[in-house]
Amino acid sequence: MTPVGARITGDLSFATPGSKSPVIRAPTAVLFILCVLLALPAAADPWAPPGDPRLRHDLQLLNDAGATNLPLATWPLSWGDIGRGLANIDNTDQSKLSPAARSAYARLNEQLRWETRSNELQLRVSAAGAVEPRVIRSFENTPREEGELSGGLSWLGDRFAIKLNATFAANPFDGDEIRPDGSYVGVVLGNWMLSAGWQERWWGPGRDGSLILGSNARPSPGLAIQRNMSTPFESKWLSWIGRWTLTTFMNQLDDDRVINDALLFGLRVTFRPIDALEIGLSRTAQWCGDDRPCGFDTFTDLLIGNDNRGVNVDADDEPGNQLAGIDMRWSLPGSIPIALYMQWIGEDTRRGGPEIGSWLRQAGIEHWGRIGGLDQRTHLEVSDTSCREGGFGFSDLKPNCGYQHSIYRSGYRYNGRVMGHGSDDDSRTYSLGSTLVQSAGHSWNLTLRYMELNRAGTPDARHSLTATPQDLADLQLSHDRLTRYGRFHAGIGVSHRDDELSGDTTTDVSGFLQWVLE
């Protein structure tokens, strides 16, 4: 059996049906240790986590060339699914690939062999330092703090996977110096992986941000189940869906919050009805927590949409704070190297009814090709986290709506960072970025952003970036290089910020250096 992936995360509270608060609490460390003991002897890394633009470029390039047909908008990705896709490219297909696609195919095969080594204990160490660490994170793994030192062990088997990771953070923003981020245990159940741990996710086709779930905030602990192989349905009634994936999780928001011990539920399905089109349906919900309804009936109401106060539920019994929406990516037909993508996420209902009426919106375009000896993938992306009313979000502006909630007043945030788009609510972001890849796998990333932060409504102290409206211009350059001494990742950037309320302006220079040996 080829190991594959999903995940779980570790510290959860459980409640009896109808109760207002958790009655049994499993501390994160205890639950995690129990999972490790139950899983031994076992596994390592069956997934490709978000954060590697070069890997994403290579996978997308083969998809766009028609050589593979993999769902790529729900990270982490299953290495088993990637391996099956690569195995379907025979010698004849390889000869038809462009030079860029052949280079991507070779790099992916090499990385697949490295990542899926089984039945051997693997050690990973890393160190990072940063000046003015990036607060707004895109699809790139950059240091969160001024200094980070990490060590980890992983083991991958036919049925189990284990990854134990610990990071020491210097001068942490959230006060957590010791972090288990990236740790998990998993077990294969047929074509599914059940897992527990702390894992980053990225939902959607966006490259500079995801409106519903990205890697801007640190991962929270929880449980998850994810489909390993994206094989189509055999039924003639459902086979039209094509290759599909499903992921669902239940995490605990164990940071300091207005309502402590709230849970975060997530569900996402992606499918490819035709080779050039991928569609994703996403839903998340904050619910439960101290003095909030937390039973099975409450969760059922949340699932079926009985959560609109004054319409189908009393205000005191409102299940939680939900986001839901759709995203798509479509590659133009023929040999045109262009793809269009969008993500529409609903934050509130319309007039208190079941119809979604407050939308966060994102649209983008990608182009790929070669510049000299470099493969390039360039995107232009616009994201708007201000709620817009109407059936499709083209009507009136609704300020102080995105990532906010009247009951869960800490909002859609974890440890002080928004779990969706890094610009937080009431912001508009314009992003132009390129990933350049050398045949040996070294890569460059260049991103230019202009952001209108917290631009609508009254000053809001809950905003994770600024309580008042600000304009931010940001230029970031980074380089990732593979050497015999490990993988080095370095970057430099400059940001200019204007505060509309005070008139103050600031210019900051940032930089970081990461080293990983595994």
Side-chain angles (χ1 to χ4, degrees):
M1 180 188 303
T2 303
V4 200
R7 43 200 200 179
I8 293 189
T9 22
D11 172 16
L12 289 179
S13 299
F14 302 92
T16 57
S19 64
K20 288 279 186 178
S21 60
V23 296
I24 301 175
R25 181 171 301 163
T28 298
V30 174
L31 178 58
F32 187 74
I33 292 170
L34 287 174
C35 291
V36 171
L37 293 176
L38 289 173
L40 288 171
D45 218 343
W47 302 288
D52 188 342
R54 193 273 303 164
L55 173 62
R56 187 177 183 182
H57 163 79
D58 286 349
L59 290 168
Q60 196 66 69
L61 185 62
L62 290 184
N63 257 18
D64 292 332
T68 56
N69 183 23
L70 299 171
L72 298 178
T74 305
W75 294 75
L77 301 176
S78 161
W79 275 114
D81 204 32
I82 295 171
R84 178 171 289 187
L86 296 177
N88 290 333
I89 304 176
D90 58 26
N91 292 330
T92 303
D93 293 330
Q94 292 178 44
S95 65
K96 297 177 181 178
L97 295 177
S98 68
R102 285 199 297 271
S103 295
Y105 174 73
R107 288 191 296 266
L108 286 170
N109 266 316
E110 178 63 28
Q111 187 166 354
L112 176 69
R113 285 192 292 268
W114 178 262
E115 297 286 354
T116 57
R117 293 169 295 165
S118 60
N119 298 311
E120 58 180 88
L121 193 64
Q122 300 171 30
L123 173 66
R124 181 183 186 274
V125 294
S126 66
V131 176
E132 299 291 338
R134 295 185 189 178
V135 175
I136 303 172
R137 300 179 93 229
S138 63
F139 191 92
E140 183 176 8
N141 184 20
T142 56
R144 297 182 183 274
E145 312 296 349
E146 295 177 355
E148 297 177 354
L149 182 63
S150 299
L153 294 171
S154 60
W155 199 94
L156 185 64
D158 291 339
R159 190 172 182 82
F160 296 97
I162 296 178
K163 185 175 183 179
L164 305 178
N165 194 71
T167 298
F168 171 77
N171 300 319
F173 167 81
D174 56 14
D176 290 343
E177 292 186 340
I178 306 297
R179 302 171 173 179
D181 301 1
S183 300
Y184 60 82
V185 296
V187 57
V188 175
L189 302 172
N191 192 30
W192 299 86
M193 177 74 88
L194 175 66
S195 57
W198 295 254
Q199 288 189 290
E200 290 186 338
R201 300 175 176 90
W202 185 282
W203 286 4
R207 308 192 74 83
D208 200 51
S210 168
L211 295 179
I212 191 166
L213 200 59
S215 55
N216 187 66
R218 288 177 51 210
S220 55
L223 308 172
I225 187 165
Q226 178 173 325
R227 198 166 188 251
N228 285 331
M229 298 291 181
S230 59
T231 50
F233 285 104
E234 296 182 1
S235 165
K236 64 179 180 179
W237 305 108
L238 297 173
S239 59
W240 64 270
I241 292 174
R243 303 187 73 89
W244 64 281
T245 64
L246 185 148
T247 299
T248 186
F249 66 83
M250 189 73 76
N251 284 10
Q252 184 173 34
L253 302 177
D254 58 347
D255 55 340
D256 186 17
R257 310 182 68 82
V258 174
I259 295 180
N260 288 320
D261 295 324
L263 300 182
L264 178 69
F265 166 74
L267 175 66
R268 178 168 169 84
V269 178
T270 57
F271 54 99
R272 295 177 62 86
I274 59 176
D275 289 355
L277 177 65
E278 182 167 345
I279 301 173
L281 303 174
S282 301
R283 189 175 179 187
T284 60
Q286 292 171 283
W287 72 294
C288 197
D290 288 351
D291 298 320
R292 294 301 305 160
C294 205
F296 180 77
D297 290 343
T298 301
F299 184 66
T300 302
D301 286 341
L302 180 148
L303 283 179
I304 64 177
N306 287 337
D307 61 348
N308 301 299
R309 68 175 75 177
V311 177
N312 49 27
V313 69
D314 293 335
D316 290 341
D317 295 325
E318 181 180 359
N321 174 31
Q322 300 201 48
L323 286 82
I326 185 172
D327 55 78
M328 300 182 189
R329 184 186 186 275
W330 176 56
S331 298
L332 269 59
S335 301
I336 304 174
I338 292 177
L340 306 175
Y341 61 89
M342 56 78 71
Q343 187 178 49
W344 251 238
I345 298 298
E347 175 53 278
D348 284 332
T349 58
R350 186 167 53 208
R351 298 182 299 275
E355 307 92 350
I356 296 176
S358 300
W359 293 93
L360 316 180
R361 302 171 298 167
Q362 179 186 82
I365 182 171
E366 289 180 48
H367 174 270
W368 58 93
R370 277 211 157 184
I371 301 177
L374 297 174
D375 302 329
Q376 66 85 16
R377 183 169 297 269
T378 299
H379 73 266
L380 176 62
E381 184 173 298
V382 181
S383 300
D384 191 342
T385 59
S386 298
C387 289
R388 289 282 181 174
E389 297 297 275
F392 294 97
F394 292 103
S395 188
D396 297 336
L397 180 68
K398 183 180 179 182
N400 298 325
C401 159
Y403 306 135
Q404 308 284 19
H405 196 257
S406 58
I407 296 175
Y408 293 88
R409 293 186 57 82
S410 299
Y412 194 70
R413 302 177 181 92
Y414 180 67
N415 278 317
R417 300 291 184 229
V418 69
M419 294 180 285
H421 198 282
S423 61
D424 211 320
D425 74 310
D426 284 331
S427 300
R428 182 179 291 159
T429 303
Y430 305 88
S431 170
L432 176 64
S434 288
T435 296
L436 305 172
V437 182
Q438 298 174 244
S439 58
H442 314 313
S443 64
W444 296 84
N445 294 285
L446 177 65
T447 304
L448 174 64
R449 295 191 193 96
Y450 178 73
M451 313 180 78
E452 299 169 342
L453 302 174
N454 201 10
R455 64 194 179 91
T458 57
D460 185 1
R462 293 178 294 176
H463 200 284
S464 61
L465 299 177
T466 172
T468 57
Q470 291 186 350
D471 292 338
L472 174 66
D474 183 45
L475 177 65
Q476 301 287 342
L477 174 66
S478 63
H479 178 56
D480 189 89
R481 193 168 193 86
L482 302 169
T483 75
R484 68 176 65 184
Y485 305 107
R487 185 170 184 170
F488 290 88
H489 187 201
I492 189 170
V494 59
S495 301
H496 180 77
R497 190 183 298 249
D498 290 315
D499 191 294
E500 295 184 8
L501 191 63
S502 66
D504 294 339
T505 63
T506 57
T507 300
D508 295 317
V509 176
S510 61
F512 70 87
L513 176 63
Q514 285 180 319
W515 168 74
V516 179
L517 180 65
E518 53 186 358

